[in-house]
Amino acid sequence: MKKKICVVITNRANFARMKSLLIEIKKSKKLTLQLVLSGSALSHRFGELENELSKNKLYPIARSYYLIDGSDPIAQAKSTSLAISEFATIFYKTKPHLIITVGDRYETMATAIASTYSNIPLAHLQGGEVSGNLDEMVRHAITKLSSYHFTTTKSSMNRVIKMGEEKKRVFFSGCPGMDLLKYCEKKIDKNFFDKVSYTGKKFLFDKKYLLVVNHPVSTENSKTNLNSINVLLKTLKKVNFHKILFWPNPDAFSDVISSAIRIFRERNTLNDFTFVINVSPENYGILLYNASCLVGNSSSFIREGSQLGVPAVILGKRQSNREVGKNVIYCDYNSKDIIKKIDSQIKNIKIKKEKIYGYGKAAKIITKILEKTFPITKKQITY
């Protein structure tokens, strides 16, 4: 009998991290993929994923709508509670042998709680990592609710073991998102934006550009998030490069970021800005690879950025104490410092590619382990 592996997809970044694994599990003769599509992955506002899944012949067995509209932390807390209820119902009906979740977001916590109280083993990807924001606490809580761990770095693997997890349940696989980068190291076609939903200036990739992604920081307040994005936007206007700017993810205070971007876009004549909601993981990788500099607070600038050897200026505290490559320098939300560090990074031609987050074979490694493993939930702390 094939083992039923349920993978919960909650947002565009979540899908990018899991795509290669979804495809590999589907190909397996010993596993059956149960794909659950949920949260902002079902919202056009944040980059609906249904069409992207269909292109890859990945079809959900269930959909879950739990995302409460609103930018305050209470909306995030209530979305979590709804997601727990939704996932518990789905798991009861589909009866998977193992559930897979990734990362450190509130939907991941909801998946972990529903899985644990349904007595279904949970496999967690990206456990043991260090970061800023609310993610730090959530990630480690999920680790303790998980039965199996697939870590993206060797240091992360060691941290998970130090948290009292059994060594035989902890595996260094690398991040499945790195598996896709082999398709990304190529020049961009000048007609790239003919296939992408965007507003602002159509960019022909005939000159240098910055790729900008700035998510909210949930542990800070609305005022601080607003000040940060306004400083960044005003600074970018002064920088003499084209800017490709992505909308933020649906964390608490995302409406603050989105609203500031809309106001900035409507009140200014912007001939060197392109605004994007979503692209496929491979196209996002191509944008990363060809950028002159990455600016903002996205973890992709650290993970994929180091693997591709692209200079990045990481802003604020969202990614504090991450394992980073030589492509990264940190900066506060200070206009003069941001401009100075962007200029410095663009001139840095000595950045080498670093395989900190895996070797591009994570999906195959994880799938082989799942094929051999008979999932169980029972575990105890090792000290």
Side-chain angles (χ1 to χ4, degrees):
M1 181 181 69
K2 286 187 174 183
K3 282 176 281 190
K4 293 182 287 186
I5 308 297
C6 178
V7 183
V8 179
I9 298 298
T10 61
N11 59 62
R12 69 193 189 202
N14 182 263
F15 173 62
R17 295 280 177 261
M18 301 285 265
K19 181 177 178 178
S20 65
L21 180 58
L22 295 173
I23 293 170
E24 202 65 31
I25 292 173
K26 188 183 178 193
K27 284 165 48 180
S28 173
K29 295 180 180 180
K30 297 180 180 180
L31 306 174
T32 296
L33 175 64
Q34 295 182 324
L35 178 61
V36 175
L37 195 61
S38 66
S40 66
L42 292 165
S43 168
H44 177 72
R45 177 184 168 196
F46 293 104
E48 187 265 335
L49 288 175
E50 195 91 35
N51 291 336
E52 181 65 23
L53 290 171
S54 297
K55 289 177 185 176
N56 292 275
K57 297 182 179 180
L58 296 167
Y59 305 106
I61 63 164
R63 295 168 181 80
S64 176
Y65 297 86
Y66 53 75
L67 195 63
I68 292 178
D69 193 23
S71 191
D72 292 331
I74 189 173
Q76 191 166 269
K78 288 192 173 185
S79 292
T80 304
S81 69
L82 286 176
I84 293 170
S85 178
E86 285 279 296
F87 292 148
T89 301
I90 290 170
F91 299 157
Y92 178 77
K93 291 179 178 179
T94 58
K95 294 179 171 53
H97 294 103
L98 181 130
I99 296 164
I100 297 178
T101 193
V102 58
D104 49 24
R105 291 172 49 79
Y106 61 91
E107 308 105 315
T108 311
M109 176 64 87
T111 305
I113 293 172
S115 175
T116 299
Y117 283 105
S118 299
N119 200 31
I120 302 171
L122 178 72
H124 183 211
L125 278 65
Q126 298 185 356
E129 295 183 19
V130 177
S131 61
N133 204 19
L134 185 62
D135 305 346
E136 172 86 9
M137 296 175 282
V138 173
R139 185 190 303 272
H140 303 322
I142 294 165
T143 290
K144 298 309 299 179
L145 292 171
S146 302
S147 300
Y148 300 92
H149 313 273
F150 296 101
T151 65
T152 59
T153 71
K154 292 180 180 178
S155 296
S156 298
M157 179 181 69
N158 292 332
R159 289 190 197 99
V160 171
I161 292 170
K162 286 181 179 179
M163 290 173 70
E165 298 300 296
E166 299 172 49
K167 289 183 179 180
K168 65 181 181 181
R169 295 171 179 258
V170 185
F171 308 93
F172 166 55
S173 61
C175 178
M178 303 302 104
D179 299 356
L180 302 176
L181 295 185
K182 59 187 174 183
Y183 305 110
C184 301
E185 298 186 26
K186 57 185 179 183
K187 188 176 179 180
I188 305 184
D189 182 354
K190 67 178 181 179
N191 298 317
F192 179 89
F193 277 110
D194 289 343
K195 305 173 184 178
V196 174
S197 179
Y198 73 96
T199 59
K201 182 74 172 181
K202 179 181 177 181
F203 187 49
L204 300 177
F205 299 98
D206 53 350
K207 54 186 177 182
K208 292 181 178 180
Y209 68 92
L210 308 180
L211 185 63
V212 184
V213 183
N214 196 85
H215 299 306
V217 180
S218 302
T219 50
E220 294 178 346
N221 58 34
S222 176
K223 184 178 180 180
T224 302
N225 275 282
L226 179 59
N227 180 66
S228 295
I229 187 62
N230 280 335
V231 168
L232 176 57
L233 292 171
K234 290 176 182 176
T235 303
L236 291 172
K237 193 177 178 184
K238 298 176 184 177
V239 178
N240 192 26
F241 289 96
H242 193 87
K243 280 76 64 172
I244 299 175
L245 176 62
F246 275 77
W247 295 95
N249 68 16
D251 281 350
F253 306 120
S254 65
D255 285 355
V256 173
I257 306 291
S258 297
S259 178
I261 293 173
R262 290 190 191 95
I263 291 170
F264 175 77
R265 185 183 62 184
E266 298 304 319
R267 290 183 178 177
N268 292 277
T269 301
L270 304 171
N271 295 317
D272 56 357
F273 277 82
T274 306
F275 301 90
V276 183
I277 294 177
N278 190 32
V279 295
S280 70
E282 290 86 352
N283 281 336
Y284 182 67
I286 293 171
L287 286 175
L288 283 169
Y289 179 68
N290 286 275
S292 295
C293 187
L294 313 172
V295 183
N297 60 11
S298 170
S299 63
S300 65
F301 295 171
I302 292 170
R303 296 175 187 275
E304 285 87 343
S306 64
Q307 196 98 345
L308 294 170
V310 184
V313 177
I314 302 296
L315 302 178
K317 299 178 181 178
R318 184 180 173 90
Q319 304 298 342
S320 296
N321 298 315
R322 282 273 196 185
E323 290 179 65
V324 300
K326 295 178 182 177
N327 70 309
V328 166
I329 58 175
Y330 285 95
C331 186
D332 292 328
Y333 286 91
N334 177 282
S335 187
K336 289 184 179 179
D337 287 345
I338 293 172
I339 292 172
K340 182 179 179 180
K341 290 189 176 181
I342 289 174
D343 288 342
S344 173
Q345 285 290 71
I346 288 175
K347 294 174 184 176
N348 188 354
I349 60 174
K350 296 181 179 180
I351 294 174
K352 294 182 179 180
K353 300 175 184 179
E354 298 175 82
K355 295 184 177 181
I356 300 171
Y357 288 90
Y359 301 95
K361 298 179 180 179
K364 291 183 182 296
I365 292 171
I366 294 168
T367 301
K368 285 182 179 179
I369 292 170
L370 293 177
E371 288 176 340
K372 296 176 181 178
T373 301
F374 182 77
I376 58 173
T377 54
K378 186 178 180 180
K379 68 172 189 177
Q380 286 186 315
I381 198 165
T382 57
Y383 57 86

